[in-house]
Amino acid sequence: MMRTLFMRSLRSVAIVMVILVVIADMYIASVISLYDPSVSESLAVMQEAMPELFAAFGMANAASTLLDFLINYLYGFLFTALLIVLAAYLSNKLFASPLKDGSFAWILATPCSRSSLILTFVVVEAVAVALVVALCWIGEVAFCEAWFPSELDQRGLACVNGGLFVLGLFVVSLCFAATILFKNAGLGLGIGAGVCALFFLMGLMGSVGEGLAWVANLSPYKLFDPYSLAAGSADAFANVALLCGAAIGLNALTVIVFMRRDFSL
C-alpha cells in the first residue's frame, strides 16, 4: 500500500464524509429526542393506521426498547441510503473523475506496482466506511447517554453497527468494482450505483407490497438484519459473514481487472 496516496485520497474525501456524518447525526438526534413512552404510543397508533408508509421507510417493526427504536427509525432507511451515497461518491472521486479528466495518468506513472495502487484505493474505501459508521455510532451513544442514561443496549448496538460496516463494505465494493470493470468509468459508476439503489428499492418493495416478500429476499441487503444482530442470532452473524465474503470477492475481482486493464489516457 502507498502511504502518500492513501493520505492524499483520504483527505480528498474528508469534507464530504464530514458533511454526511453531520447530517446523519442531526437526524439521529431528532430521532432519539422522540423516544418517549407517550410519543412511542402515538407513533404506534400512526403505524397501525399507515403501515405501508412506515414500511416504505423501513419502520415496520414496533419499538419496545431504545435500541429497537434506533433500529426501527435509522437502520431501515437512513443508514442504508447513506452508504449508497457514500459508495457512489468514493467511486467517482477516487477513480471515475480522475480517469475522465486525465489526472489518473499521474497516478499510473508513479514508480509503484499496479497492485499497490489498487490495494491503496480499496483500503481508502474501507477506512472511509469505517469512519462514517464509527462517527454515526458515536453520535448515537452520545445522544442516548445524554438524554436516556444507561438505557441503551451497548452490546446490541455494537453488533448492529458491525453488521452495518460490513454492509457498507459490500455496497462500496460493488460500486467500485463496476466502475473499474467498464472501460467507460462514468457508465460503470452509474451501473454500480444503480444496482445498489435497485437492491435497496427491492428491500422496500418487499416490506410494503403484499406478496412481494420474495422481492426483498432477492436483495443482498436482506442479509443485514439489525434486529437479529441485536439479539445475537447466529444466523444473522452468518449472513453478515456472507456479505463480508461477497465484499472480499468483489475487491479481489477489482484488483485483478485493474492489474490487467489497458487504460486509454
Side-chain angles (χ1 to χ4, degrees):
M1 189 183 78
M2 300 171 59
R3 178 180 176 83
T4 302
L5 179 61
F6 171 80
M7 296 304 298
R8 175 181 174 277
S9 299
L10 201 57
R11 283 196 300 268
S12 70
V13 300
I15 294 178
V16 172
M17 287 170 55
V18 170
I19 293 173
L20 291 176
V21 170
V22 169
I23 293 173
D25 280 343
M26 290 173 60
Y27 190 87
I28 290 168
S30 300
V31 167
I32 294 174
S33 67
L34 294 174
Y35 181 70
D36 180 81
S38 59
V39 175
S40 297
E41 291 175 6
S42 299
L43 288 172
V45 173
M46 292 175 61
Q47 185 174 342
E48 291 178 2
M50 299 178 290
E52 294 83 3
L53 177 62
F54 276 73
F57 289 92
M59 305 173 185
N61 298 300
S64 57
T65 67
L66 180 54
L67 178 57
D68 288 341
F69 192 84
L70 293 179
I71 294 174
N72 207 18
Y73 294 96
L74 294 177
Y75 290 84
F77 184 88
L78 174 70
F79 286 160
T80 307
L82 179 70
L83 292 175
I84 295 174
V85 173
L86 179 64
Y89 172 73
L90 290 174
S91 296
N92 179 66
K93 184 68 175 180
L94 299 178
F95 186 76
S97 183
L99 189 61
K100 183 178 180 180
D101 62 25
S103 60
F104 203 77
W106 295 99
I107 298 176
L108 291 175
T110 57
C112 298
S113 65
R114 282 199 175 192
S115 59
S116 296
L117 290 174
I118 189 60
L119 287 174
T120 300
F121 287 125
V122 170
V123 173
V124 168
E125 293 197 325
V127 171
V129 172
L131 287 174
V132 169
V133 172
L135 291 173
C136 290
W137 181 6
I138 290 172
E140 290 177 294
V141 173
F143 291 126
C144 286
E145 290 302 314
W147 287 326
F148 307 101
S150 303
E151 286 195 31
L152 182 62
D153 179 1
Q154 300 287 356
R155 181 182 178 280
L157 184 63
C159 292
V160 173
N161 280 315
L164 183 68
F165 168 66
V166 174
L167 177 64
L169 287 181
F170 170 77
V171 173
V172 169
S173 300
L174 176 58
C175 198
F176 197 46
T179 306
I180 297 292
L181 282 172
F182 288 83
K183 289 187 176 181
N184 185 325
L187 174 63
L189 174 60
I191 291 175
V195 170
C196 290
L198 176 61
F199 287 151
F200 178 56
L201 293 175
M202 287 168 63
L204 296 181
M205 287 175 58
S207 301
V208 175
E210 294 183 5
L212 293 178
W214 63 273
V215 177
N217 292 332
L218 295 177
S219 171
Y221 295 176
K222 183 70 173 179
L223 296 175
F224 172 64
D225 184 351
Y227 287 100
S228 297
L229 287 171
S233 169
D235 289 340
F237 288 110
N239 288 336
V240 169
L242 289 176
L243 268 180
C244 185
I248 293 173
L250 287 169
N251 283 325
L253 176 63
T254 300
V255 171
I256 294 173
V257 172
F258 184 85
M259 292 176 63
R260 297 180 177 180
R261 181 171 168 179
D262 181 19
F263 292 95
S264 299
L265 299 170

